Amino acid sequence: MAEKRSLFYFSDVSEKSGLGGYLHENGAFGEKWFPEPMGPGCGFIDYDGDGWEDILLVTGGSFRGMGKKQVPAIRLMRNNTDGTFSDVSNEVGLSNVFTYPFGIAAADFDNDGDQDFLLTTLYENLLFKNTSGYFTEVGSESGLSTEHGLSTSPIFFDADRDGHLDLYVGNYTDWSPDTDVWCTFRGEKGYCTPEVYKGTPSRFYQNNGDGSFTDRTSEAGFLPAPGKTLGVAEYDYDKNGWPDLIVANDLERDLLYENNQDGTFTEKGMIKGMAFDAMGRARAGMGVDVGLVDRSDEITIFVGNFQNEMFSVYRYSPEGFFTDFAAISKLGRQSLRVLTFGLFLFDVELDGDLDLLAANGHIQVEVESENNEFQFKQLAQLFLNDGDGVFDLFKGNEGSVLRKPIVGRGSAYADYDKDGDLDVLITENAGPTHLWRNDFSEHPETNANNYLRVKLEGSSSNRDGIGSMIELFIGNRKFSRRVRTGSSYLSQSEKVVTFGIGEAGSVDSLVIQWPSGVIDSFSQIAPNQELLIIEGETL
């Protein structure tokens, strides 16, 4: 593998791609209500099954009964396969969705071959069933609209490995217009932080295999819980073949739900050492992701926090505990300067190492007049991994998208133009959508790194292969990636897995461990292609 640092660039293609006219509406009407600065999420979904990632935009809404003009809560942008997108919301049944929305998760929950999605809201959550490219809202009949409250980041995962995707929905606080608290900011009302509200525990729904879900939050071990959840990620952290959950909470301890191998869970965040900061304090956890970022073959958890709170960075050890790696990773000092919402790991330069992107932005526009050290609009941060879990801040050249401040919220990645490198989608609160095309592959004279993309289709396992571990071997090196939903903040990245393999000319072997227990192995694979692998079949 090549150790030299490659050069790469992002191009802002928001306008030319057709996303330039989409502004988020947060419903603000002068009263500084608590939910206004939270959204929006965003994400990628191949809704028509053509192999090209389409885009879901959470475009906002207004509070019920406030008299403001209703705006569509969500828009679906079809990938035209030429670098542009077209709004097909009306023809797919999504143009008349009116609510106050936050986050999305997309997956084939009913195993019929179409990508469905969940939309979390301030009111009842909405489940959209996809039938040959047309969406029908089935939340109530599916058993997911029994809870009414402020929900945030959802995640589909197969908790009991029965081949049917279950659902965990992050819930935040018990806010309502009747419980709104007046918080003073420089003598006037400002946006409250969540300690003034009681947290609402998140919910777990078991997939019954017939298109319906049953609330098993208590029976599965997810109660009691502090609530105030903003991000959730899935990984098999203890390598026993069962999915575990990492939950980022806002001013409450972060949680680690260990799977008991029967579909129930035990919360072990404090026992394992990842619930609090080094001083035993809860931080304002928002975006979260987890992955293998060094050569230890042990996971590292990353959580974005409030300004003046460095990223939470916890590396797991074979002894069974997490160690604070914020200083060792060199992320601590740089992350003190920003308020981070979206956060995800991806191999931006295809060298085999997972890099980290943070979408940043404050909640109080008045913060700039109080203290010039803080800004309302903030720079997104891209941290490049040196291969050993140590990260350097990449600032980009003059005019780079990384030098233009935004009010960052949701963030996700996908190879939307199918050139092998990963592109970035970021939303702003009460602002525009940003699509950053990764131009790494456009400069072969300086970037010789190769890639391999893997898309899974389950048969005994769930159709999307969610929960599968994909291992790639080149020489004496192993690269591991997991097929997942969730992570980041309110957002959905693509489920196709991208491996950067540097200058390697071939892959020695590829091993897939499916949730069903099936193991598929393939050898001598050429790079720079996307593979569709069906469970139990030949390549």
Side-chain angles (χ1 to χ4, degrees), residues 3 5 293-295 351 353 384-390 477:
E3 297 296 332
R5 178 65 72 205
V293 299
D294 56 31
R295 306 192 187 203
D351 62 351
D353 307 315
L384 301 181
N385 188 349
D386 72 352
D388 293 314
V390 178
R477 289 202 59 184

Side-chain angles (χ1 to χ4, degrees), residues 254-283:
D254 293 334
L255 307 173
L256 175 67
Y257 286 107
E258 183 177 297
N259 197 316
N260 298 321
Q261 304 186 32
D262 59 3
T264 68
F265 294 78
T266 301
E267 203 284 299
K268 295 188 175 182
M270 285 194 289
I271 296 173
K272 296 294 184 179
M274 52 73 65
F276 299 106
D277 70 9
M279 302 301 292
R281 298 171 300 199
R283 288 181 274 198

Side-chain angles (χ1 to χ4, degrees), residues 311 331 333-340 342 344 346 356-360 378-384 393-394 402 426 436:
F311 291 161
L331 291 169
R333 184 182 299 273
Q334 296 290 349
S335 59
L336 286 170
R337 305 175 182 179
V338 292
L339 197 167
T340 299
F344 59 76
F346 70 141
L356 183 72
L357 186 136
N360 307 314
Q378 300 180 352
L379 300 179
Q381 293 173 310
L382 176 62
F383 297 93
L384 301 181
L393 179 63
F394 179 84
L402 298 169
I426 296 180
W436 296 347

Side-chain angles (χ1 to χ4, degrees), residues 56-324:
L56 276 171
L57 297 178
V58 177
T59 43
S62 57
F63 296 100
R64 291 177 179 172
M66 287 300 104
K68 289 198 70 173
K69 179 182 177 181
Q70 289 185 320
V71 298
I74 195 160
R75 309 303 293 181
L76 178 62
M77 311 298 294
R78 181 174 61 85
N79 192 326
N80 297 323
T81 75
D82 61 359
T84 66
F85 293 82
S86 297
D87 191 333
V88 294
S89 306
N90 185 54
E91 61 192 73
V92 302
L94 296 176
S95 60
N96 293 310
V97 179
F98 300 105
T99 183
Y100 195 94
F102 293 107
I104 57 174
D108 185 3
F109 81 90
D110 52 3
N111 290 330
D112 67 349
D114 297 316
Q115 290 293 296
D116 317 293
F117 72 93
L118 183 86
L119 176 68
T120 61
T121 84
L122 177 61
Y123 309 112
E124 61 279 347
N125 296 322
L126 306 177
L127 178 65
F128 291 91
K129 174 180 169 58
N130 184 347
T131 304
S132 301
Y134 190 86
F135 291 93
T136 305
E137 204 286 304
V138 296
S140 180
E141 63 192 74
S142 297
L144 296 179
S145 298
T146 56
E147 293 289 323
H148 291 237
L150 202 171
S151 296
T152 55
S153 292
I155 184 172
F156 286 104
F157 74 119
D158 191 354
D160 51 8
R161 293 173 50 187
D162 66 349
H164 303 288
L165 291 175
D166 308 299
L167 181 64
Y168 180 91
V169 180
N171 286 334
Y172 197 37
T173 68
D174 65 351
W175 181 90
S176 72
D178 294 334
T179 63
D180 186 65
V181 176
W182 184 285
C183 292
T184 301
F185 192 87
R186 301 185 71 240
E188 299 181 355
K189 187 178 184 184
Y191 292 116
C192 295
T193 49
E195 67 263 33
V196 302
Y197 296 104
K198 180 182 178 181
T200 301
S202 302
R203 310 303 298 181
F204 171 74
Y205 300 92
Q206 185 180 60
N207 191 327
N208 299 319
D210 59 0
S212 69
F213 293 81
T214 300
D215 189 332
R216 301 286 187 192
T217 308
S218 180
E219 298 92 325
F222 290 104
L223 290 177
K228 302 183 182 179
T229 293
L230 290 179
V232 57
E234 182 271 345
Y235 216 94
D236 177 16
Y237 87 96
D238 50 5
K239 304 176 188 175
N240 64 3
W242 291 80
D244 311 299
L245 291 184
I246 299 105
V247 177
N249 293 327
D250 193 357
L251 296 181
E252 297 284 354
R253 73 185 191 276
D254 293 334
L255 307 173
L256 175 67
Y257 286 107
E258 183 177 297
N259 197 316
N260 298 321
Q261 304 186 32
D262 59 3
T264 68
F265 294 78
T266 301
E267 203 284 299
K268 295 188 175 182
M270 285 194 289
I271 296 173
K272 296 294 184 179
M274 52 73 65
F276 299 106
D277 70 9
M279 302 301 292
R281 298 171 300 199
R283 288 181 274 198
M286 287 170 278
V288 60
D289 207 355
V290 56
L292 302 173
V293 299
D294 56 31
R295 306 192 187 203
S296 69
D297 201 33
E298 301 292 350
I299 68 161
T300 303
I301 297 171
F302 299 82
V303 181
N305 297 310
F306 210 81
Q307 199 154 295
N308 269 346
E309 295 179 335
M310 65 178 64
F311 291 161
S312 303
V313 183
Y314 295 109
R315 226 285 300 280
Y316 192 61
S317 69
E319 289 74 34
F321 300 95
F322 287 90
T323 302
D324 192 327

